[in-house]
Amino acid sequence: MLNYFNFLLHQLKGWPQQNYYLFFFSLGCQVMTLVNQPIDILSVTTFIGTTLGVLCILSINAAKSVNGVLGIVSAICFIYVGYSAKNYLSIGEQIAYMITLDIPVLLSKEWNHNMASKIRKFTSKSWFVAIICTIIVYFVSGYLIQRVTDPRPWIDAIAFSISLSAGIISFLRYNNQYFWWLASGLAQMVLWYISFAHGSASLAMFVNSSVYLINDVLAFTVSPWYNKKTRKQMQQMEEEYYLSHQ
């Protein structure tokens, strides 16, 4: 158990500096949002979920596999928030994240070993399949969820279809996931802003989506998913860590 906690601590190190800056910026925003609204179970759960959620997506950005633990706890929080806001597809989205991004990290030793060395990119065929599948999921999920009491079925469906596709693409370790995450961030901002305007959610979820969007932009610049220099540094750091712990 001690070795596992040491591993998790190691996974929080060596990120691009911009990732740490973004986390503390997000934390400050969420604290201000929390203290400017009634403190109840929903607001506290939202605060915990958004804080851990940002850490989770920043760890993925840095090609670090600590997102397993962080992702599951934040997903549980977001499921409660999504249910409270009646954004039911956001619940399915979080379950999909746990299945594609979090549980494999916890169960697979191979998954945890030097993620930066396993990054790949789409072929023309992969682009076509990913886009078509996203569109199909959008229409199917939107049609099905409108039969439930979801007040924003098609907006919810846009966020769900893009986010689900992004999770699967990330699971397969394609760097093209960040085109989907970028679109997902925009869709989530729209969804949670409208939910907030309707009185169904706190402003914290909109702020959280904004931070996710900034993270996605960072991914195209300093992240090992796209920055070859950072990727090489990550690979070297991970190899040195595993060699010293064999």
Side-chain angles (χ1 to χ4, degrees):
M1 183 62 72
L2 181 61
N3 288 337
Y4 183 66
F5 282 113
N6 286 334
F7 165 76
L8 293 180
L9 181 62
H10 167 72
Q11 294 298 310
L12 293 172
K13 299 177 181 178
W15 297 3
Q17 283 189 331
Q18 292 86 346
N19 289 38
Y20 296 114
Y21 298 154
L22 182 56
F23 170 71
F24 287 110
F25 169 76
S26 171
L27 182 61
C29 290
Q30 293 297 349
V31 169
M32 287 190 292
T33 304
L34 177 66
V35 299
N36 280 288
Q37 62 183 332
I39 306 297
D40 53 23
I41 294 177
L42 180 60
S43 62
V44 172
T45 302
T46 302
F47 175 76
I48 295 171
T50 53
T51 301
L52 295 182
V54 168
L55 265 181
C56 178
I57 58 110
L58 287 172
S59 71
I60 295 174
N61 179 313
K64 295 283 191 171
S65 51
V66 70
N67 63 287
V69 174
L70 297 174
I72 286 179
V73 178
S74 64
I76 292 171
C77 294
F78 287 145
I79 286 171
Y80 176 71
V81 175
Y83 179 79
S84 300
K86 296 183 180 180
N87 291 335
Y88 298 118
L89 280 177
S90 69
I91 296 173
E93 175 188 320
Q94 295 302 322
I95 293 172
Y97 287 163
M98 286 193 284
I99 294 172
T100 59
L101 297 176
D102 304 325
I103 294 176
V105 172
L106 296 176
L107 298 181
S108 173
K109 182 178 180 181
E110 177 61 23
W111 176 278
N112 289 304
H113 181 63
N114 203 346
M115 270 186 63
S117 66
K118 302 168 184 175
I119 294 172
R120 51 184 178 164
K121 60 183 179 180
F122 275 176
T123 61
S124 298
K125 180 180 178 181
S126 303
W127 274 108
F128 177 78
V129 171
I131 292 172
I132 293 299
C133 288
T134 303
I135 294 172
I136 291 172
V137 172
Y138 166 66
F139 282 109
V140 172
S141 61
Y143 173 77
L144 292 176
I145 203 65
Q146 71 177 343
R147 304 172 73 89
V148 188
T149 56
D150 189 316
R152 296 162 289 273
W154 292 105
I155 298 174
D156 204 357
I158 291 173
F160 172 74
S161 60
I162 298 173
S163 299
L164 175 62
S165 300
I168 295 172
I169 296 168
S170 180
F171 172 76
L172 297 173
R173 297 190 180 95
Y174 287 107
N175 64 358
N176 308 79
Q177 63 180 286
Y178 279 99
F179 290 98
W180 269 258
W181 288 130
L182 189 65
S184 172
L186 290 169
Q188 294 288 345
M189 286 178 66
V190 172
L191 173 65
W192 288 109
Y193 177 77
I194 294 175
S195 300
F196 171 71
H198 290 173
S200 302
S202 77
L203 187 61
M205 291 301 293
F206 173 78
V207 173
N208 189 62
S209 298
S210 303
V211 173
Y212 279 25
L213 190 65
I214 297 171
N215 170 72
D216 301 333
V217 174
L218 280 180
F220 289 105
T221 55
V222 299
S223 166
W225 292 94
Y226 280 93
N227 189 302
K228 293 181 179 180
K229 181 179 178 181
T230 307
R231 187 186 309 171
K232 186 176 180 180
Q233 291 172 344
M234 288 288 182
Q235 288 175 311
Q236 184 177 356
M237 182 180 177
E238 290 299 299
E239 289 298 335
E240 289 175 353
Y241 173 81
Y242 282 103
L243 287 173
S244 65
H245 286 74
Q246 285 184 343

